[in-house]
C-alpha cells in the first residue's frame, strides 16, 4: 500500500471521529483545540505524499480548510463530516490496484 493511501485512511478515520457530534466536539474542546492543529499537520503531510505519489488531493485540501474553520461549532461538525466522506472516497481510490 502506498504511503499516501495509508495516510488518507488514517485522516479519514480521524475526521470521522471528530464528526461525531458530542464525542468529537468534547474531544476538540478538552484538548484546547490543539487537535485541530494536529489535524492540520496531518493533512499537510498527507497532501505532500499525495502530490508525490499522484493520489487524489481533494480530501487533504478540504481537511486543511476544515482544520482552519472547525472552531465554529456547527460549521466545524459539518466540515469534519464532509472531510471524512471525501477522504474515505480518496482513500478507496488511492488503494485500488492500478492495471
Amino acid at each position: 500500500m502506498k504511503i499516501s493511501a495509508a495516510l488518507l485512511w488514517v485522516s479519514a478515520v480521524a475526521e470521522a471521529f471528530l464528526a461525531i457530534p458530542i464525542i468529537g466536539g468534547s474531544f476538540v474542546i478538552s484538548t484546547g483545540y490543539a487537535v485541530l492543529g494536529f489535524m492540520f499537520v496531518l493533512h499537510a503531510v498527507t497532501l505532500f505524499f499525495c502530490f508525490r505519489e499522484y493520489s487524489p488531493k481533494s480530501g487533504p485540501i478540504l481537511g486543511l480548510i476544515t482544520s482552519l474553520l472547525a472552531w465554529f461549532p456547527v460549521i466545524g461538525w459539518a466540515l469534519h463530516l464532509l472531510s471524512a466522506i471525501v477522504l474515505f472516497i480518496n482513500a478507496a481510490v488511492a488503494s485500488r490496484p492500478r492495471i
Side-chain angles (χ1 to χ4, degrees):
M1 178 182 291
K2 297 187 293 187
I3 295 171
S4 61
L7 286 171
L8 284 166
W9 283 113
V10 169
S11 299
V13 169
E15 286 290 347
F17 172 75
L18 293 175
I20 300 171
I22 303 297
I23 298 169
S26 298
F27 184 69
V28 169
I29 292 170
S30 70
T31 62
Y33 295 88
V35 71
L36 298 178
F38 173 79
M39 290 302 294
F40 185 87
V41 172
L42 177 62
H43 290 305
V45 170
T46 303
L47 184 61
F48 170 77
F49 281 102
C50 286
F51 272 112
R52 197 173 117 184
E53 298 176 354
Y54 303 104
S55 295
K57 297 156 194 67
S58 57
I61 291 170
L62 184 59
L64 289 170
I65 295 167
T66 298
S67 296
L68 294 174
L69 299 176
W71 54 279
F72 293 110
V74 176
I75 294 171
W77 167 78
L79 286 172
H80 283 304
L81 183 61
L82 181 63
S83 294
I85 292 167
V86 173
L87 283 162
F88 275 121
I89 293 169
N90 285 173
V93 169
S95 297
R96 71 175 182 211
R98 302 286 178 205
I99 297 175

